């Protein structure tokens, strides 16, 4: 075999020597060690060794691959470091032993988790970490990022308070005790009256006016949200991205609807003289219920809510299995209880859709009690369905809880790493360069690291 090393192959890995027969290295021709020759750049003719400046800890596992045919991963090494060593020694992932595959594949899942967290918690605009910040950028970051400054925290608290007040006012608007009946005088003017005769909810809402005090509070919130959306739209660096956000579209739609209704309220004779305008007004008032979706702003500004949303997204497969299993069980038990009650003339369910309703409520442990099997066989079916429902609902809970723990722990570690990185980046450096004098120009110290560099360090985590 011309040009090949001797049968005894000596490997010097970072000063630690390993010996192995060349015949064993030929078991896996596609790996780096199988292609060693005396002409290799790693070969040292003076010592007859192949030198590699790599981690010697991994060499026991690498050489065991040639001896046993399986690659085992040391438990005291990071999976990322193991992957890098495998890439260097040209060992494919297929060679990893089955007993070590679980721990080896955890790295892939961790990287996916970190990537999702990075995408979710990434600032909408990275202007926060630029060296120069204009007034528009400061306003935008103050309104969008609660962590930007103390003023930003105060603003976001105030914004959430206005959202809470607006939602509470909306709920009180639908209470009869906070409505006053519309009464028209002979001259066409309106006056308030504390009683009304409407029996339907829609008729009550359309033929009454909200409490004057609540109406004023609602208009104050309307003015606040109008100014907020106008300012954010003005200072937003990316208008296209702004209009693509669902919450921004919802806010603009609600503001247009509420101002339209406000104008109609100022001119009541317009809606009274035209049935078409009245129908439009009815539709617009029904759109007021969309204001409840403003609670989603809490999720946009709350770290815990973002983690919860991430958990549900990552648990989509488990939730799908839950829904499919529950749907199958509901169909089965609804059919059984409907047939049982029908054969025994209990007359509990006069249609199958009521049996489906009963099965769903029973299996989800809600149990309204509006439909109850009266026969003994029907009650047996009901008991079994309740037990099966508990089992179906409990199985995915552990997986979902595990996903939540994974995300919350990764987010906590990310925040801690960010604080440590920022602390190191802002700590002044007092050491002089080796061999230098006080008159020489110092290298850039950590005190001179910009926020942009801090961001780049954090993104690499």
């Amino acid at each position: 075999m011309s040009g090949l090393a001797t049968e005894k192959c000596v490997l010097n890995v970072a000063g630690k020597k390993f010996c192995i027969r060349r015949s064993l290295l030929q078991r896996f021709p596609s790996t780096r060690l199988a292609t060693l020759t005396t002409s290799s750049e790693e070969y040292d003719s003076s010592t007859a060794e192949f030198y590699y400046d790599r981690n010697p800890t991994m060499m026991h596992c690498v050489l065991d691959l040639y001896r046993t045919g399986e690659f085992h991963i040391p438990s005291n090494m990071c999976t990322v470091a193991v992957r890098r060593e495998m890439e260097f020694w040209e060992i494919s992932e297929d060679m990893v032993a089955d007993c070590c595959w679980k721990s080896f594949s955890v790295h892939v899942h961790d990287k996916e988790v970190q990537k999702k967290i990075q995408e979710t918690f990434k600032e909408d605009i990275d202007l926060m970490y630029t060296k120069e910040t204009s007034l528009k950028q400061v306003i935008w970051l103050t309104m969008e990022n609660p962590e930007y400054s103390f003023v930003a925290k105060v603003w976001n608290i105030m914004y959430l308070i206005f959202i809470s007040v607006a939602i509470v006012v909306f709920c009180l608007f639908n209470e009869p005790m906070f409505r006053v009946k519309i009464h028209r005088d002979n001259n066409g003017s309106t006056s308030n009256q504390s009683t009304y005769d409407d029996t339907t909810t829609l008729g009550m809402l359309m033929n009454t006016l909200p409490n004057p005090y609540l109406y004023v509070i609602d208009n104050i919130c309307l003015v606040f949200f109008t100014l907020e959306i106008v300012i954010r739209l003005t200072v937003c660096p990316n208008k296209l991205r702004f209009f693509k956000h669902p919450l921004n579209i919802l806010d603009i739609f609600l503001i247009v609807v509420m101002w339209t209704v406000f104008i109609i309220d100022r001119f009541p004779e317009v809606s009274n003289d035209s049935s078409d305008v009245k129908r439009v007004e009815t539709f617009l008032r029904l759109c007021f219920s969309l204001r409840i979706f403003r609670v989603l702003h809490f999720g946009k500004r709350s770290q815990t809510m973002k983690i919860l949303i991430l958990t549900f997204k990552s648990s989509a497969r488990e939730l799908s299995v839950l829904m499919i299993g529950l749907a199958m069980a509901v169909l089965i038990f609804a059919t059984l209880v409907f047939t049982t009650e029908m054969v025994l003339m209990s007359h509990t369910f006069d249609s199958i859709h009521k049996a489906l309703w009963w099965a769903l409520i029973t299996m989800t442990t809600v149990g309204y009690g509006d439909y109850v099997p009266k026969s003994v066989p029907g009650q047996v079916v009901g008991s079994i369905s309740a037990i099966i429902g508990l089992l179906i609902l409990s199985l995915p809970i552990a997986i979902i809880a595990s996903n939540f723990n994974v995300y919350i722990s990764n987010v906590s570690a990310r925040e801690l790493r960010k604080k440590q990185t920022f602390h190191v980046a802002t700590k002044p450096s007092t050491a002089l360069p080796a061999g230098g004098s006080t008159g020489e120009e110092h290298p850039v110290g950590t005190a001179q690291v910009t926020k942009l560099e801090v961001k780049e360090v954090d993104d690499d985590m």
Side-chain angles (χ1 to χ4, degrees):
M1 189 181 299
S2 175
L4 293 178
T6 60
E7 178 65 17
K8 178 182 177 182
C9 184
V10 180
L11 306 175
N12 186 338
V13 182
K16 190 172 183 179
K17 295 183 179 181
F18 300 86
C19 296
I20 189 172
R21 295 197 310 271
R22 171 162 291 280
S23 59
L24 290 178
L25 298 180
Q26 297 303 319
R27 292 185 63 182
F28 300 99
S30 60
T31 59
R32 178 183 287 268
L33 293 180
T35 60
L36 293 179
T37 63
T38 55
S39 60
S40 300
E41 62 179 358
E42 297 88 358
Y43 183 71
D44 187 356
S45 57
S46 61
T47 57
E49 298 174 349
F50 294 91
Y51 178 78
Y52 292 95
D53 189 11
R54 306 297 298 182
N55 188 350
T57 305
M58 279 293 300
M59 283 308 299
H60 293 288
C61 302
V62 173
L63 297 182
D64 283 342
L65 167 66
Y66 298 94
R67 299 186 181 106
T68 64
E70 291 182 335
F71 184 77
H72 294 271
I73 300 175
S75 59
N76 60 341
M77 284 194 65
C78 175
T79 310
V80 178
V82 172
R83 283 180 177 272
R84 290 173 180 170
E85 292 298 316
M86 290 178 62
E87 292 176 359
F88 177 80
W89 298 111
E90 299 178 0
I91 299 174
S92 66
E93 296 182 358
D94 298 335
M95 299 178 183
V96 177
D98 294 338
C99 59
C100 298
W101 180 255
K102 181 179 179 180
S103 59
F104 180 75
S105 60
V106 166
H107 167 70
V108 178
H109 180 259
D110 289 343
K111 292 295 289 184
E112 292 177 355
V113 169
Q114 294 173 6
K115 182 179 179 181
K116 290 179 181 178
I117 292 175
Q118 184 65 31
E119 292 175 353
T120 302
F121 288 88
K122 183 180 180 182
E123 289 79 3
D124 291 337
I125 300 296
D126 292 335
L127 300 175
M128 181 177 178
Y129 296 95
T130 55
K131 298 179 180 179
E132 298 181 0
T133 306
S134 64
L135 179 60
K136 292 177 65 175
Q137 294 171 355
V138 171
I139 297 175
W140 170 256
L141 293 171
T142 300
M143 301 181 73
E144 287 293 311
N145 195 326
E147 303 299 327
Y148 179 64
S149 64
F150 176 76
V151 177
K153 292 181 179 180
V154 173
W155 161 260
N156 279 271
I157 292 175
M158 183 175 64
Y159 183 75
L160 296 179
I161 290 175
F162 268 92
I163 290 179
S164 303
V165 171
I167 293 174
V168 171
V169 169
F170 165 72
C171 295
L172 294 179
F173 272 176
N174 299 301
E175 291 294 329
M177 63 181 298
F178 292 102
R179 308 288 299 188
V180 290
K181 188 172 179 60
I182 300 175
H183 175 71
R184 297 194 177 277
D185 299 332
N186 295 330
N187 57 3
S189 61
T190 61
S191 61
N192 295 338
Q193 187 175 330
S194 59
T195 60
Y196 47 84
D197 300 323
D198 301 279
T199 56
T200 64
T201 303
L202 181 60
M204 181 270 293
L205 294 176
M206 294 307 302
N207 296 323
T208 59
L209 292 174
N211 183 281
Y213 298 104
L214 293 179
Y215 186 70
V216 172
I217 296 176
D218 188 57
N219 288 334
I220 293 175
C221 293
L222 174 59
V223 173
F224 173 82
F225 290 125
T226 303
L227 294 176
E228 184 267 343
I229 199 70
V230 170
I231 295 175
R232 282 204 302 128
L233 179 59
T234 303
V235 301
C236 177
N238 193 330
K239 301 297 189 297
L240 180 60
R241 186 176 180 181
F242 181 89
F243 284 106
K244 286 183 177 181
H245 201 290
L247 286 180
N248 293 334
I249 297 175
L250 176 64
D251 288 339
I252 295 174
F253 175 75
L254 287 175
I255 289 173
V256 172
V257 168
M258 295 179 70
W259 278 114
T260 304
V261 174
F262 179 82
I263 295 173
I264 294 176
D265 289 341
R266 301 280 69 80
F267 302 97
E269 62 276 2
V270 176
S271 60
N272 294 332
D273 296 338
S274 175
S275 58
D276 293 335
V277 176
K278 190 67 177 178
R279 282 193 290 268
V280 172
E281 180 188 2
T282 304
F283 171 76
L284 294 177
R285 290 189 184 278
L286 291 175
C287 292
F288 279 15
S289 58
L290 296 177
R291 287 189 289 181
I292 200 66
F293 287 102
R294 278 180 173 155
V295 296
L296 298 178
H297 283 285
F298 287 97
K300 181 182 177 182
R301 289 167 167 78
S302 172
Q303 179 172 284
T304 305
M305 289 299 298
K306 291 181 179 179
I307 297 174
L308 189 60
I309 294 173
L310 275 177
T311 301
F312 284 122
K313 287 182 178 180
S314 62
S315 306
R317 183 175 61 180
E318 290 78 12
L319 293 174
S320 300
V321 172
L322 170 64
M323 296 301 177
I324 293 174
L326 185 61
M328 294 172 59
V330 166
L331 288 172
I332 293 173
F333 285 104
T335 304
L336 289 176
V337 76
F338 176 76
T339 305
T340 302
E341 294 292 290
M342 180 179 62
V343 170
L344 297 177
M345 301 297 179
S346 296
H347 304 293
T348 303
F349 308 100
D350 55 7
S351 62
I352 189 66
H353 80 271
K354 292 182 179 179
L356 290 170
W357 167 257
W358 168 86
L360 178 62
I361 297 304
T362 301
M363 300 193 73
T364 54
T365 69
V366 177
Y368 287 125
D370 48 353
Y371 296 101
V372 181
K374 297 182 176 62
S375 65
V376 175
Q379 292 172 355
V380 172
V381 173
S383 301
I384 297 175
S385 67
I387 296 174
I388 297 298
L390 283 173
L391 295 176
I392 293 176
L393 292 176
S394 61
L395 289 177
I397 298 302
I399 301 176
I400 297 174
S402 176
N403 290 337
F404 180 80
N405 291 332
V406 168
Y407 279 106
I408 197 71
S409 60
N410 275 273
V411 170
S412 300
R414 178 178 181 271
E415 294 298 321
L416 180 61
R417 180 64 179 271
K418 182 186 292 186
K419 291 180 181 178
Q420 292 177 344
T421 304
F422 183 78
H423 175 72
V424 172
T426 55
K427 185 177 180 180
S429 177
T430 56
L432 293 175
S437 62
T438 57
E440 296 180 356
E441 183 180 356
H442 291 219
V444 178
T446 53
Q448 296 173 276
V449 178
T450 64
K451 290 185 177 180
L452 177 60
E453 294 165 331
V454 176
K455 173 65 176 178
E456 293 173 348
V457 171
D458 183 65
D459 284 346
D460 291 337
M461 292 194 308

